């Protein structure tokens, strides 16, 4: 039976390599289809938890893992020898920037080297990580071909970008169409049929088109967020509320799509992916002016938030030095526990540099783990009326749903609201709300 027949008859064994925010939901959905799935990750603690039916991602309930485990066709391992058992390997690996803000493909290349000794005929490797056009063909394929097997003859490769939006109640793997690209018709057909188990595949004619489409999606967001952040600053100077302006503009039934301002970009995608294209464009002597400009505007946002805080404190005869600040929400977006690239860390850093005392509250993040860049040794405070009263200013960075905003409104002296969350609650009982 060849690969296509295995996929068509649902006798395929699927390996998911990298069981993070993207890989774990992917594994769950394929497992729910009743096919054999092997989850592979170098993080042994994740493997052990999954084997016990435990989740380590807040918005993925452990019951989901327990349920697929009970079906008896899912296994977890950190041993790459077992990759040979999989007919198709889906790679959901990190693609960060390095300290020079250049693409760090080491997770992909390391995995390529780990898979190479066990690569076998008729296997297929699909990369899912967001990356520059050409990565699958130029960076991954040559490593796998060092095995002596020839790509798209002995084994196959494809690229299918991930559109997972963690904890989005409306859109998830099953109802988000998934772009699938391959440089060979048979490989494309196999990959399309495979993803057809769990979603609606959108076939494209090459891995490069699929890679570029993902970057276009994220650059589109980065540029539009920058535009609306710039509008926010201009309109604020004019004394006009950008939120009301966006609401009004959104009534146009065509040609306008609302984007909302905030304290800066966060997450593993929007602040990072555009620079994957910038890096590759240099090879072609092409400037990426929109991308750079959007990056510049968005990077400035945490500074803008602090400036507005300094001004608001000043207006109540307080200086930033020695003032007590509470950061409300440190996750990069609402209702998740992911802090990667969160603008909260930058805001906290600037506040501290200015001599403020900073604490935080986040119902999803009880402790701040050390990151490559920041070493905050802090725990979330308890949000009580007495505690809130102690702060000179409360700065809303993340608009989590599960926060008692009434309690904050009734007890805070001053609020800086970067998300317009207090629109629903009216003016402060004893102070001021400043939108920033
Ligand atoms: N998180 C999102 O919302 C999201 C959305 C769309 C696209 N993406 C893209 O998907 C990719 C994965 O992102 P993520 O958020 O799932 O990352 P993640 O950090 O949550 O997960 C990556 C996993 O890979 C594992 N890993 C690292 N090196 C490995 C190796 N050599 N072998 C096996 N496992 C290894 C890690 O232990 C981790 O569990 C990135 O390219 C990201 O840009 C993410």
């Amino acid at each position: 039976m060849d690969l296509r027949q295995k996929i068509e008859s649902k006798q395929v064994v699927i390996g998911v390599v990298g069981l993070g925010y993207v890989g774990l939901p992917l594994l769950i959905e394929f497992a729910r289809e009743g096919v054999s799935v092997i989850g592979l990750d170098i993080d042994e603690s994740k493997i052990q938890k999954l084997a016990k039916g435990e989740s380590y991602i807040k918005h993925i309930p452990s019951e989901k893992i327990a349920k697929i485990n009970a079906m008896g066709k899912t296994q977890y391992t950190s041993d790459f020898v077992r990759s040979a058992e999989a007919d198709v390997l889906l790679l959901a690996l990190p693609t960060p920037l390095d300290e020079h803000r250049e693409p760090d493909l080491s997770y992909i290349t390391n995995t390529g080297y780990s898979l190479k000794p066990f690569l076998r005929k008729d296997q297929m490797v699909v990369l899912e990580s967001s990356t520059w056009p050409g990565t699958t063909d130029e960076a991954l394929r040559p490593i796998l071909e060092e095995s002596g097997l020839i790509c798209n003859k002995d084994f196959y490769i494809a690229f299918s970008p991930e559109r997972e939006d963690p904890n989005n109640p409306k859109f998830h793997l099953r109802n988000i169409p998934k772009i699938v690209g391959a440089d060979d018709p048979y490989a494309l057909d196999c990959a399309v049929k495979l993803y057809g188990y769990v979603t609606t595949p959108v076939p494209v004619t090459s891995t490069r088109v699929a890679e570029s489409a993902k970057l276009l999606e994220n650059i589109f967001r980065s540029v539009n967020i920058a535009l609306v952040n710039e509008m926010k600053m201009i309109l604020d100077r004019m004394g006009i509320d950008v939120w009301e302006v966006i609401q009004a503009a959104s009534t146009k039934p065509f040609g306008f799509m609302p984007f909302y301002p905030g304290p800066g970009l966060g997450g593993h995608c929007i602040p990072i992916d555009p620079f994957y294209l910038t890096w590759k464009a240099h090879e072609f002597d092409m400037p990426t002016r929109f991308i750079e400009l959007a990056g510049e505007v968005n990077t400035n946002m945490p500074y803008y938030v602090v400036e507005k805080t300094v001004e608001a404190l000043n207006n109540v005869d307080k200086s930033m030095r020695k003032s007590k600040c509470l950061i409300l929400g440190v996750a990069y977006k609402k209702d998740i526990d992911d802090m990667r690239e969160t603008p909260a860390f930058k805001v906290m850093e600037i506040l501290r540099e200015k001599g403020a005392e900073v604490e935080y509250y986040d119902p999803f993040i009880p402790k701040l783990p050390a990151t490559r860049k920041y070493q905050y040794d802090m725990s979330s405070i308890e949000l009580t009326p007495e505690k809130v009263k102690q702060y000179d200013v409360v700065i809303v960075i993340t608009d989590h749903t599960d926060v008692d905003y009434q309690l904050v409104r009734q007890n805070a002296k001053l609020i800086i609201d970067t998300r317009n969350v207090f629109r629903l609650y009216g003016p402060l009982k004893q102070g001021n709300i400043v939108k920033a």
Side-chain angles (χ1 to χ4, degrees):
M1 204 188 280
D2 74 5
L3 179 62
R4 179 156 49 196
Q5 288 161 338
K6 280 186 186 170
I7 294 171
E8 284 169 347
S9 62
K10 281 208 164 176
Q11 291 178 58
V12 66
V13 178
I14 298 170
V16 179
V17 186
L19 302 172
Y21 286 93
V22 165
L24 187 56
L26 201 62
L27 174 136
I28 291 171
E29 291 311 319
F30 277 110
R32 284 179 56 205
E33 285 300 302
V35 283
S36 295
V37 182
I38 301 173
L40 233 164
D41 201 293
I42 48 169
D43 185 340
E44 189 58 41
S45 69
K46 287 184 178 164
I47 297 303
Q48 303 214 335
K49 280 199 173 125
L50 292 172
K52 283 192 269 175
E54 289 171 20
S55 171
Y56 39 77
I57 296 179
K58 184 123 182 167
H59 63 269
I60 300 180
S62 293
E63 297 83 72
K64 274 198 171 178
I65 319 277
K67 238 183 197 167
I68 57 165
N69 288 1
M71 291 169 76
K73 294 183 94 174
T74 304
Q75 297 169 62
Y76 308 97
T77 181
S78 56
D79 188 351
F80 273 83
V81 179
R82 305 224 25 216
S83 66
E85 293 170 34
D87 300 299
V88 182
L89 290 151
L90 310 178
L91 314 188
L93 299 156
T95 41
L97 296 173
D98 67 15
E99 59 273 28
H100 306 296
R101 296 197 69 72
E102 292 195 347
D104 174 4
L105 285 195
S106 62
Y107 296 90
I108 294 176
T109 51
N110 287 344
T111 301
Y113 286 116
S114 303
L115 294 174
K116 184 183 76 175
F118 313 108
L119 195 71
R120 60 169 172 79
K121 273 201 156 206
D122 228 18
Q123 240 179 348
M124 179 158 186
V125 179
V126 188
L127 182 62
E128 295 226 352
S129 308
S130 315
T131 184
W132 45 262
T135 304
T136 312
D137 185 44
E138 293 165 39
L140 184 59
R141 181 181 57 79
I143 296 173
L144 298 175
E145 283 191 327
E146 283 177 22
S147 63
L149 297 172
I150 297 168
C151 183
N152 292 334
K153 180 169 168 283
D154 300 320
F155 73 96
Y156 305 95
I157 55 171
F159 181 84
S160 179
E162 194 43 67
R163 287 167 160 171
E164 170 77 5
D165 187 15
N167 210 22
N168 184 326
K170 205 162 143 206
F171 293 111
H172 45 79
L173 187 66
R174 296 262 172 185
N175 65 2
I176 305 174
K178 200 161 186 336
I179 295 173
V180 183
D183 302 322
D184 169 85
Y186 175 82
L188 182 61
D189 193 38
C190 287
V192 164
K193 288 197 163 109
L194 183 92
Y195 283 108
Y197 288 1
V198 291
T199 186
T200 309
V202 181
V204 296
T205 55
S206 71
T207 48
R208 282 178 178 79
V209 169
E211 288 160 336
S212 305
K214 173 69 193 178
L215 294 189
L216 174 61
E217 289 167 21
N218 282 356
I219 291 164
F220 174 81
R221 286 186 65 192
S222 164
V223 167
N224 279 288
I225 292 168
L227 174 67
V228 85
N229 276 330
E230 188 171 84
M231 280 297 278
K232 167 178 82 170
M233 293 186 290
I234 297 167
L235 294 179
D236 180 69
R237 189 72 67 88
M238 297 176 177
I240 301 166
D241 182 357
V242 69
W243 295 91
E244 197 181 344
V245 171
I246 297 168
Q247 201 180 11
S250 302
T251 57
K252 186 178 178 185
F254 54 90
F256 184 81
M257 188 189 283
F259 281 81
Y260 298 98
L265 295 183
H268 190 344
C269 297
I270 315 289
I272 291 173
D273 298 353
F275 296 100
Y276 269 69
L277 186 66
T278 298
W279 181 85
K280 191 64 179 172
H282 287 159
E283 193 182 308
F284 294 83
D285 292 332
M286 287 301 291
T288 49
R289 281 177 297 191
F290 257 115
I291 295 174
E292 307 278 354
L293 181 61
E296 207 177 296
V297 173
N298 289 328
T299 307
N300 183 45
M301 279 306 115
Y303 293 90
Y304 176 77
V305 172
V306 175
E307 260 172 49
K308 292 292 287 182
T309 310
V310 169
E311 195 183 292
L313 282 169
N314 199 36
N315 287 342
V316 291
D317 297 327
K318 283 234 147 65
S319 74
M320 178 62 88
R321 184 164 293 283
K322 294 216 166 82
S323 66
K324 294 191 72 174
C325 305
L326 178 69
I327 300 291
L328 211 59
V330 291
Y332 83 84
K333 70 171 190 179
K334 74 192 284 184
D335 299 340
I336 61 165
D337 62 349
D338 191 347
M339 280 160 288
R340 286 176 293 178
E341 305 289 320
T342 175
F345 286 160
K346 190 71 199 175
V347 170
M348 287 160 74
E349 182 185 63
I350 312 169
L351 290 172
R352 281 183 165 184
E353 277 167 10
K354 291 190 180 298
E357 289 172 33
V358 184
E359 294 190 302
Y360 84 95
Y361 171 72
D362 193 311
F364 287 84
I365 302 169
K367 262 188 92 56
L368 292 188
T371 66
R372 202 159 52 174
K373 199 164 167 200
Y374 299 102
Q375 318 287 326
Y376 292 118
D377 187 13
M378 294 165 80
S379 302
S380 173
I381 62 143
E382 263 186 56
L383 199 68
T384 61
E386 300 71 43
K387 194 75 188 157
V388 172
K389 278 186 186 129
Q390 292 171 10
Y391 297 101
D392 297 303
V393 58
V394 176
I395 307 173
V396 179
I397 298 291
T398 319
D399 50 343
H400 289 308
T401 311
D402 192 15
V403 170
D404 191 343
Y405 291 107
Q406 270 304 5
L407 181 153
V408 178
R409 188 187 78 89
Q410 282 169 349
N411 296 285
K413 296 179 190 129
L414 174 65
I415 293 176
I416 307 294
D417 186 359
T418 69
R419 301 286 187 182
N420 203 23
V421 49
F422 282 94
R423 70 191 179 281
L424 304 171
Y425 298 93
L428 271 195
K429 271 229 160 138
Q430 49 158 332
N432 194 7
I433 298 179
V434 174
K435 293 182 189 176

mmCIF file of all heavy atoms in Angstrom, residues 265-283:
data_model
loop_
_atom_site.group_PDB
_atom_site.id
_atom_site.type_symbol
_atom_site.label_atom_id
_atom_site.label_comp_id
_atom_site.label_asym_id
_atom_site.label_seq_id
_atom_site.Cartn_x
_atom_site.Cartn_y
_atom_site.Cartn_z
ATOM 1 N N LEU A 265 2.458 45.070 19.990
ATOM 2 C CA LEU A 265 2.201 43.725 19.482
ATOM 3 C C LEU A 265 2.702 42.668 20.449
ATOM 4 O O LEU A 265 3.657 42.883 21.184
ATOM 5 C CB LEU A 265 2.926 43.525 18.155
ATOM 6 C CG LEU A 265 2.468 44.372 16.981
ATOM 7 C CD1 LEU A 265 3.257 43.982 15.743
ATOM 8 C CD2 LEU A 265 0.979 44.194 16.732
ATOM 9 N N GLY A 266 2.044 41.508 20.421
ATOM 10 C CA GLY A 266 2.518 40.388 21.239
ATOM 11 C C GLY A 266 2.295 39.074 20.522
ATOM 12 O O GLY A 266 1.718 39.034 19.442
ATOM 13 N N GLY A 267 2.774 38.002 21.139
ATOM 14 C CA GLY A 267 2.557 36.667 20.598
ATOM 15 C C GLY A 267 3.712 36.209 19.730
ATOM 16 O O GLY A 267 4.644 36.946 19.433
ATOM 17 N N HIS A 268 3.590 34.950 19.327
ATOM 18 C CA HIS A 268 4.669 34.308 18.603
ATOM 19 C C HIS A 268 4.641 34.677 17.116
ATOM 20 O O HIS A 268 5.559 34.352 16.375
ATOM 21 C CB HIS A 268 4.520 32.793 18.789
ATOM 22 C CG HIS A 268 5.683 31.987 18.292
ATOM 23 N ND1 HIS A 268 6.635 32.502 17.440
ATOM 24 C CD2 HIS A 268 6.040 30.726 18.513
ATOM 25 C CE1 HIS A 268 7.518 31.563 17.172
ATOM 26 N NE2 HIS A 268 7.178 30.472 17.807
ATOM 27 N N CYS A 269 3.569 35.364 16.658
ATOM 28 C CA CYS A 269 3.408 35.502 15.203
ATOM 29 C C CYS A 269 3.570 36.926 14.690
ATOM 30 O O CYS A 269 4.511 37.214 13.962
ATOM 31 C CB CYS A 269 2.039 34.969 14.803
ATOM 32 S SG CYS A 269 1.849 33.223 15.155
ATOM 33 N N ILE A 270 2.635 37.812 15.066
ATOM 34 C CA ILE A 270 2.565 39.122 14.407
ATOM 35 C C ILE A 270 3.847 39.953 14.619
ATOM 36 O O ILE A 270 4.290 40.625 13.691
ATOM 37 C CB ILE A 270 1.324 39.931 14.866
ATOM 38 C CG1 ILE A 270 0.074 39.054 14.886
ATOM 39 C CG2 ILE A 270 1.099 41.161 13.997
ATOM 40 C CD1 ILE A 270 -0.454 38.645 13.560
ATOM 41 N N PRO A 271 4.463 39.950 15.810
ATOM 42 C CA PRO A 271 5.676 40.768 15.937
ATOM 43 C C PRO A 271 6.892 40.153 15.240
ATOM 44 O O PRO A 271 7.903 40.815 15.073
ATOM 45 C CB PRO A 271 5.944 40.799 17.455
ATOM 46 C CG PRO A 271 4.797 40.132 18.106
ATOM 47 C CD PRO A 271 4.101 39.312 17.074
ATOM 48 N N ILE A 272 6.794 38.874 14.867
ATOM 49 C CA ILE A 272 7.986 38.151 14.407
ATOM 50 C C ILE A 272 7.949 37.822 12.923
ATOM 51 O O ILE A 272 8.887 38.111 12.175
ATOM 52 C CB ILE A 272 8.127 36.849 15.242
ATOM 53 C CG1 ILE A 272 8.505 37.244 16.672
ATOM 54 C CG2 ILE A 272 9.128 35.887 14.637
ATOM 55 C CD1 ILE A 272 8.510 36.112 17.644
ATOM 56 N N ASP A 273 6.839 37.235 12.487
ATOM 57 C CA ASP A 273 6.782 36.704 11.118
ATOM 58 C C ASP A 273 7.143 37.721 10.032
ATOM 59 O O ASP A 273 7.840 37.365 9.066
ATOM 60 C CB ASP A 273 5.388 36.125 10.823
ATOM 61 C CG ASP A 273 5.057 34.965 11.736
ATOM 62 O OD1 ASP A 273 5.951 34.535 12.490
ATOM 63 O OD2 ASP A 273 3.913 34.499 11.704
ATOM 64 N N PRO A 274 6.677 38.998 10.144
ATOM 65 C CA PRO A 274 7.011 39.936 9.061
ATOM 66 C C PRO A 274 8.515 40.026 8.818
ATOM 67 O O PRO A 274 8.951 40.195 7.668
ATOM 68 C CB PRO A 274 6.468 41.273 9.577
ATOM 69 C CG PRO A 274 5.335 40.897 10.484
ATOM 70 C CD PRO A 274 5.791 39.622 11.146
ATOM 71 N N PHE A 275 9.310 39.863 9.882
ATOM 72 C CA PHE A 275 10.759 40.011 9.722
ATOM 73 C C PHE A 275 11.400 38.786 9.068
ATOM 74 O O PHE A 275 12.535 38.837 8.617
ATOM 75 C CB PHE A 275 11.395 40.374 11.068
ATOM 76 C CG PHE A 275 10.892 41.725 11.514
ATOM 77 C CD1 PHE A 275 9.883 41.845 12.449
ATOM 78 C CD2 PHE A 275 11.368 42.878 10.906
ATOM 79 C CE1 PHE A 275 9.372 43.085 12.803
ATOM 80 C CE2 PHE A 275 10.864 44.122 11.244
ATOM 81 C CZ PHE A 275 9.873 44.226 12.199
ATOM 82 N N TYR A 276 10.637 37.685 8.983
ATOM 83 C CA TYR A 276 11.098 36.550 8.194
ATOM 84 C C TYR A 276 11.112 36.938 6.708
ATOM 85 O O TYR A 276 12.020 36.567 5.966
ATOM 86 C CB TYR A 276 10.208 35.321 8.446
ATOM 87 C CG TYR A 276 10.730 34.453 9.578
ATOM 88 C CD1 TYR A 276 10.703 34.888 10.898
ATOM 89 C CD2 TYR A 276 11.288 33.201 9.319
ATOM 90 C CE1 TYR A 276 11.196 34.105 11.926
ATOM 91 C CE2 TYR A 276 11.786 32.410 10.343
ATOM 92 C CZ TYR A 276 11.743 32.858 11.636
ATOM 93 O OH TYR A 276 12.248 32.086 12.651
ATOM 94 N N LEU A 277 10.094 37.696 6.303
ATOM 95 C CA LEU A 277 10.062 38.116 4.896
ATOM 96 C C LEU A 277 11.146 39.170 4.639
ATOM 97 O O LEU A 277 11.839 39.116 3.620
ATOM 98 C CB LEU A 277 8.683 38.680 4.516
ATOM 99 C CG LEU A 277 8.565 38.982 3.020
ATOM 100 C CD1 LEU A 277 8.622 37.708 2.176
ATOM 101 C CD2 LEU A 277 7.274 39.742 2.694
ATOM 102 N N THR A 278 11.292 40.103 5.578
ATOM 103 C CA THR A 278 12.315 41.148 5.433
ATOM 104 C C THR A 278 13.679 40.515 5.200
ATOM 105 O O THR A 278 14.439 40.914 4.317
ATOM 106 C CB THR A 278 12.345 42.007 6.719
ATOM 107 O OG1 THR A 278 11.076 42.618 6.849
ATOM 108 C CG2 THR A 278 13.411 43.070 6.673
ATOM 109 N N TRP A 279 13.978 39.519 6.026
ATOM 110 C CA TRP A 279 15.276 38.850 5.941
ATOM 111 C C TRP A 279 15.481 38.225 4.553
ATOM 112 O O TRP A 279 16.522 38.404 3.915
ATOM 113 C CB TRP A 279 15.356 37.768 7.035
ATOM 114 C CG TRP A 279 16.643 37.030 7.055
ATOM 115 C CD1 TRP A 279 17.798 37.405 7.679
ATOM 116 C CD2 TRP A 279 16.912 35.780 6.400
ATOM 117 N NE1 TRP A 279 18.772 36.458 7.465
ATOM 118 C CE2 TRP A 279 18.256 35.449 6.682
ATOM 119 C CE3 TRP A 279 16.154 34.895 5.625
ATOM 120 C CZ2 TRP A 279 18.855 34.288 6.222
ATOM 121 C CZ3 TRP A 279 16.751 33.734 5.148
ATOM 122 C CH2 TRP A 279 18.081 33.457 5.439
ATOM 123 N N LYS A 280 14.449 37.547 4.057
ATOM 124 C CA LYS A 280 14.566 36.879 2.760
ATOM 125 C C LYS A 280 14.622 37.915 1.633
ATOM 126 O O LYS A 280 15.335 37.727 0.640
ATOM 127 C CB LYS A 280 13.371 35.933 2.561
ATOM 128 C CG LYS A 280 13.495 34.995 1.377
ATOM 129 C CD LYS A 280 14.649 34.022 1.516
ATOM 130 C CE LYS A 280 14.738 33.074 0.335
ATOM 131 N NZ LYS A 280 15.984 32.264 0.400
ATOM 132 N N ALA A 281 13.873 39.034 1.805
ATOM 133 C CA ALA A 281 13.825 40.062 0.751
ATOM 134 C C ALA A 281 15.212 40.668 0.523
ATOM 135 O O ALA A 281 15.552 41.044 -0.596
ATOM 136 C CB ALA A 281 12.819 41.144 1.131
ATOM 137 N N HIS A 282 16.028 40.742 1.597
ATOM 138 C CA HIS A 282 17.381 41.283 1.450
ATOM 139 C C HIS A 282 18.186 40.505 0.417
ATOM 140 O O HIS A 282 18.993 41.055 -0.323
ATOM 141 C CB HIS A 282 18.117 41.250 2.794
ATOM 142 C CG HIS A 282 17.599 42.302 3.747
ATOM 143 N ND1 HIS A 282 17.770 42.225 5.115
ATOM 144 C CD2 HIS A 282 16.922 43.442 3.518
ATOM 145 C CE1 HIS A 282 17.201 43.281 5.667
ATOM 146 N NE2 HIS A 282 16.684 44.031 4.730
ATOM 147 N N GLU A 283 17.942 39.200 0.377
ATOM 148 C CA GLU A 283 18.659 38.347 -0.577
ATOM 149 C C GLU A 283 18.342 38.778 -2.007
ATOM 150 O O GLU A 283 19.124 38.554 -2.923
ATOM 151 C CB GLU A 283 18.204 36.902 -0.330
ATOM 152 C CG GLU A 283 19.039 35.844 -0.979
ATOM 153 C CD GLU A 283 18.446 34.460 -0.679
ATOM 154 O OE1 GLU A 283 18.206 34.137 0.509
ATOM 155 O OE2 GLU A 283 18.213 33.719 -1.657
#
